[in-house]
Amino acid sequence: MPQYMLLIYDDPSSSPAPDSAQGQQEFQEYGIFTQDIQEKGLMVTGAPLQTVDTATTVRVRNGGEAVLSDGPFADTKEWLAGYYILDCADLDTATAQAARIPAARHGAIEVRPIMDMPQM
C-alpha cells in the first residue's frame, strides 16, 4: 500500500494557545484522530515538532562547508508543526484523513506521497 506523509503547517498567530480551553480541546481532537487512524491500520508513525525557535538549518556551501543558521529555512508565518505517515490505498484516502487534522482549520496540511525506493 502506498505511504503518504501528511505535513502539518500551523500559524501560531491564528492557532489556539496550548493552555487555553480551545487549545486543550484541539489537543484532545489530535488524540482522537490519532487513535482512529491507528485503529484503522493507517498510521505508520507521526510526531509533533518543537517550535521553530528550536530549529537549526544546515546548508552546504563553499565547496562542502556546512553553514548552520538558527531557525527555519524560509521566513513564513506558518511553520512545520508535525507530521503523520499513513498507509493509504490512494491519494483520496490520504487527503480525506488530512482534512480531519485539527490544524487544517487554521493552517494547512500538505499531503505528499513517499517515494518507493526498493533498492534502499
Side-chain angles (χ1 to χ4, degrees), residues 10 13 20 38 48 59-60 69 75 77 79 82 86 95 97 101 111-112:
D10 201 359
S13 68
S20 70
Q38 286 172 332
R59 295 177 180 85
V60 176
S69 59
D75 224 1
K77 284 196 252 182
W79 53 283
L86 305 183
T95 56
Q97 295 305 312
I101 295 174
V111 178
R112 190 182 302 186

Side-chain angles (χ1 to χ4, degrees), residues 48-104:
L49 299 174
Q50 293 189 22
T51 58
V52 294
D53 60 335
T54 66
T56 301
T57 299
V58 179
R59 295 177 180 85
V60 176
R61 302 289 188 270
N62 302 324
E65 181 181 339
V67 178
L68 308 181
S69 59
D70 292 337
F73 177 73
D75 224 1
T76 179
K77 284 196 252 182
E78 293 180 337
W79 53 283
L80 183 59
Y83 68 94
Y84 288 96
I85 295 179
L86 305 183
D87 278 327
C88 295
D90 53 38
L91 180 60
D92 290 340
T93 303
T95 56
Q97 295 305 312
R100 297 180 54 221
I101 295 174

Side-chain angles (χ1 to χ4, degrees), residues 7 9 16 30 32 35 41 53 68 71 89 93 101-102 106 112 115:
L7 298 161
Y9 291 95
Y30 270 102
I32 291 166
Q35 182 176 355
D53 60 335
L68 308 181
T93 303
I101 295 174
H106 45 77
R112 190 182 302 186
M115 188 180 297

